[in-house]
């Protein structure tokens, strides 16, 4: 696993040892960031990123590499926390990236700047994306008009909660990425 574009292009990311973390592949990340750059007026440049169910943090670190201003990475897993902390240290980006060890479906209120770009890549097939995005909206984690990307298995039901309008869906093999806009 590596960062595929931007300032840290080619830098390797620490991968999980077990089956509990399913990182977004390099190929899918490259496709998603091309969509963000060309179809959404480069939504990454200067963005405040919220990475829910961050796992390895690959999506957030890719965004930072490509010009995002900052990233909050949310995951309550022990292995994920270790991988994210190691990558923050390796990339020396502690001033722009922060790990929040918390259940993404129970965020509570935030004192941080609301996110303008949200990645939500929960364990597939468990219906966690709507719960996490609802918690983020209630807690003030999302800026009005924030762009939201949800990665889920193609057979999953609706992945966007109320107040997030669907803009498009893109299929990548057995994965579907739903892109929406938060109507804060």
């Amino acid at each position: 696993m590596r960062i595929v574009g931007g300032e840290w292009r080619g830098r390797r990311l620490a991968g999980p040892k077990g089956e509990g973390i399913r990182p977004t592949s390099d190929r899918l990340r490259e496709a998603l960031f091309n969509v963000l750059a060309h179809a959404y007026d480069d939504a990454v440049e200067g963005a405040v990123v919220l990475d829910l169910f961050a796992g390895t943090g690959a999506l957030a670190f890719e965004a930072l590499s490509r010009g995002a201003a900052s990233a909050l990475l949310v995951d309550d897993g022990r292995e994920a926390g270790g991988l994210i902390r190691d990558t923050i240290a390796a990339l020396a980006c502690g001033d722009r990236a922060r790990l929040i060890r918390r259940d993404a479906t129970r965020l509570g209120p935030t004192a941080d700047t609301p996110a303008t770009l949200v990645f939500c890549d929960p364990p597939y097939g468990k219906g966690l994306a709507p719960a996490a995005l609802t918690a983020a909206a209630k807690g003030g984690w999302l800026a009005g008009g924030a762009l939201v990307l949800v990665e889920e298995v193609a057979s999953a039901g609706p992945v966007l909660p109320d107040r997030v309008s669907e803009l498009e869906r893109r299929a990548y093999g057995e994965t579907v990425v739903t892109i929406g806009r938060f109507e804060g």
Side-chain angles (χ1 to χ4, degrees):
M1 217 173 45
R2 64 186 174 83
I3 295 176
V4 294
E7 171 187 358
W8 299 319
R9 182 180 185 171
R11 295 283 300 264
R12 293 215 171 268
L13 296 170
K17 302 283 188 233
E19 299 286 320
I21 298 175
R22 177 199 36 79
T24 302
S25 71
D26 294 356
R27 199 166 166 184
L28 178 54
R29 265 185 291 114
E30 185 168 22
L32 292 177
F33 280 88
N34 282 337
V35 169
L36 290 171
H38 301 292
Y40 294 96
D41 298 325
D42 198 6
V44 177
E45 184 66 37
V48 175
V49 173
L50 177 62
D51 190 351
L52 299 169
F53 306 99
T56 63
L59 290 165
F61 294 120
E62 188 74 43
L64 288 170
S65 180
R66 293 171 182 248
S70 63
L72 294 172
L73 298 93
V74 178
D75 204 302
D76 63 353
R78 176 174 286 164
E79 182 181 13
L83 292 169
I84 292 166
R85 279 191 300 275
D86 290 349
T87 301
I88 289 172
L91 297 175
C93 63
D95 59 330
R96 295 173 42 207
R98 186 163 62 96
L99 169 65
I100 298 173
R101 293 208 48 200
R102 195 172 299 172
D103 179 341
T105 65
R106 296 188 174 119
L107 289 172
T110 184
D112 292 296
T113 302
T116 59
L117 178 60
V118 181
F119 297 107
C120 184
D121 184 9
Y124 281 2
K126 296 186 178 185
L128 296 173
L133 292 169
T134 297
K138 284 183 181 177
W141 295 75
L142 308 180
L147 198 60
V148 176
L149 284 79
V150 177
E151 184 180 333
E152 183 59 273
V153 66
S155 61
V159 296
L160 297 177
D162 292 341
R163 298 177 60 199
V164 180
S165 58
E166 183 175 315
L167 301 174
E168 67 175 300
R169 288 183 199 194
R170 291 180 180 245
Y172 301 92
E174 292 187 21
T175 298
V176 169
V177 175
T178 304
I179 301 173
R181 178 97 46 207
F182 176 61
E183 301 166 356

